[in-house]
Amino acid sequence: MPRPTGRVLTLLELLQSGGTRTVAELADRLGVEGRTVRRYVDQLIDLDVPVESVRGRYGGYRLAPGYRLPPLMLSDDEALAVLLGLVAGRRAGLTTTEHTASETASAKIRRVLPRHIARRLDTLLEALAFTDQPGGFDTPDAGVLLTIADAVRHRRPVSIRYTDRNGRRSERTLHAYGIVAHSGRWYVTGKDARISEDRTFRLERIADARTLPGSFEAPAGPGPAQRVLSGFATAEYRHEVTLRIHGTAEHIRAHLPAGIASLAEHEPATDQDPAAERWLRVELRAERLDWLPPALASLDRPFVIERPDELRGLVIALGDRLASYARQA
């Protein structure tokens, strides 16, 4: 028979699952009478767990936001999901500068895991492999991340101190549209109020952020993630490349994703199947061109190079090398 302390913890777990629970429902789940449920609720309140009483026909009890995190009850599967999320986030670089926070959170959960669950987790982690290298990313300050997230939610301007890739420091007023995680980094995209143009900033390069008075309206159109990818594809680099490729958008995107290149119809759209192969205009910018010939070869689709001429020469050179390799016995 469960001990009273065990029933109190079970009550907490039921309340943490969300919504309002009636006294009759809780009594049935705990196997006790209604007055005992009320006594258990009083014990939780004595432990500073914020339990609210809801009056009315469908009233009962529910958890209210408290001034500190109450004891958290997790099922076996939930504990595994949390630990895997912490491991994956750390390996992908999606953490804040407080590196120890994810490690101490993992350690706390690991300490209270039942042995059979801990063994399952160890088995899974031993079998799990990542294609990225750990520890290869810079991470943003937690305070900066939360301040900007609050500004995004309430559409408030935010002042940031930013250092660009060349080490130049500046202070900007940003109308932040959203925060985007991409390729192991955090980005914020929005309008730079000084120049009235959309910009994307890496969050780990923001030294300070503070909310300003006022508000703004987010523009219609692409969401934050699409804005970040489009910004990458149109960023200022040494070479501007324009191609025409005959294929499907899906096939081209598999080799030249949205963060690298932009796609557009080469000719006015017709009633043809949008998934069918057709000529598409591809535009991208790159600091170097040497990676493009192998990418175009891997497409295995007809293409025309409009610019630059230097790329045409690199593609011809790659074709000659491949032909010479193929002729070797």
Side-chain angles (χ1 to χ4, degrees):
M1 183 176 180
R3 296 170 61 88
T5 302
R7 290 200 187 99
V8 172
L9 292 176
T10 301
L11 171 62
L12 177 59
E13 183 176 6
L14 291 171
L15 294 175
Q16 284 178 332
S17 64
T20 300
R21 302 280 185 166
T22 65
V23 173
E25 178 187 1
L26 293 171
D28 181 63
R29 295 290 296 272
L30 296 171
V32 298
E33 296 180 353
R35 60 184 178 181
T36 305
V37 170
R38 297 184 181 92
R39 189 168 69 250
Y40 290 164
V41 168
D42 290 339
Q43 292 181 37
L44 290 177
I45 294 174
D46 289 341
L47 294 170
D48 290 334
V49 177
V51 182
E52 286 185 339
S53 176
V54 181
R55 298 182 180 276
R57 179 180 178 184
Y58 299 104
Y61 295 104
R62 67 186 179 195
L63 282 185
Y67 65 89
R68 66 182 178 88
L69 189 67
L72 190 62
M73 305 294 291
L74 298 175
S75 68
D76 293 350
D77 288 342
E78 289 169 340
L80 281 176
V82 171
L83 285 169
L84 284 176
L86 290 170
V87 170
R90 192 161 60 242
R91 289 298 300 261
L94 300 181
T95 58
T96 66
T97 50
E98 298 296 329
H99 294 288
T100 57
S102 62
E103 295 171 359
T104 55
S106 298
K108 287 178 180 179
I109 298 177
R110 290 293 296 265
R111 278 198 297 270
V112 297
L113 279 183
R115 289 184 178 179
H116 71 285
I117 297 299
R119 286 195 296 268
R120 287 176 60 194
L121 177 65
D122 289 337
T123 299
L124 176 57
L125 293 179
E126 288 173 5
L128 185 63
F130 291 86
T131 57
D132 64 298
Q133 296 298 316
F137 302 107
D138 296 323
T139 51
D141 178 81
V144 167
L145 182 65
L146 294 175
T147 297
I148 294 179
D150 185 72
V152 169
R153 181 176 184 182
H154 295 101
R155 297 290 183 245
R156 300 281 299 279
V158 61
S159 173
I160 62 172
R161 288 193 289 116
Y162 190 72
T163 304
D164 66 17
R165 61 183 176 183
N166 296 316
R168 292 189 295 263
R169 293 181 174 88
S170 61
E171 186 163 338
R172 303 163 185 257
T173 297
L174 181 67
H175 295 174
Y177 305 149
I179 295 172
V180 177
H182 174 69
S183 296
R185 297 193 188 280
W186 295 92
Y187 298 89
V188 57
T189 183
K191 186 176 77 172
D192 187 328
R194 181 175 60 85
I195 59 176
S196 294
E197 292 183 2
D198 286 356
R199 288 289 186 267
T200 294
F201 302 96
R202 277 172 47 175
L203 273 173
E204 83 276 3
R205 291 179 177 167
I206 298 176
D208 180 63
R210 55 188 177 86
T211 306
L212 300 174
S215 62
F216 67 91
E217 291 293 329
Q226 186 57 47
R227 289 177 183 274
V228 169
L229 293 177
S230 298
F232 291 155
T234 58
E236 291 294 334
Y237 288 106
R238 181 180 174 188
H239 300 283
E240 295 186 0
V241 179
T242 304
L243 309 163
R244 297 197 308 272
I245 301 176
H246 192 266
T248 65
E250 181 181 7
H251 181 73
I252 296 172
R253 278 284 178 240
H255 298 266
L256 298 171
I260 294 177
S262 60
L263 294 186
E265 297 286 346
H266 174 58
E267 298 174 347
T270 62
D271 294 333
Q272 65 179 347
D273 182 358
E277 290 195 1
R278 59 196 184 281
W279 284 103
L280 294 169
R281 180 178 295 276
V282 179
E283 295 184 344
L284 60 98
R285 301 186 183 190
E287 196 64 27
R288 294 164 43 214
L289 295 175
D290 54 355
W291 63 273
L292 258 176
L296 293 174
S298 67
L299 277 167
D300 194 25
R301 292 294 187 275
F303 64 86
V304 176
I305 298 172
E306 293 189 0
R307 63 172 179 170
D309 290 337
E310 181 183 349
L311 176 58
R312 187 175 292 105
L314 291 174
V315 171
I316 292 172
L318 174 63
D320 291 342
R321 288 198 303 274
L322 293 175
S324 67
Y325 299 154
R327 285 193 293 267
Q328 292 179 5

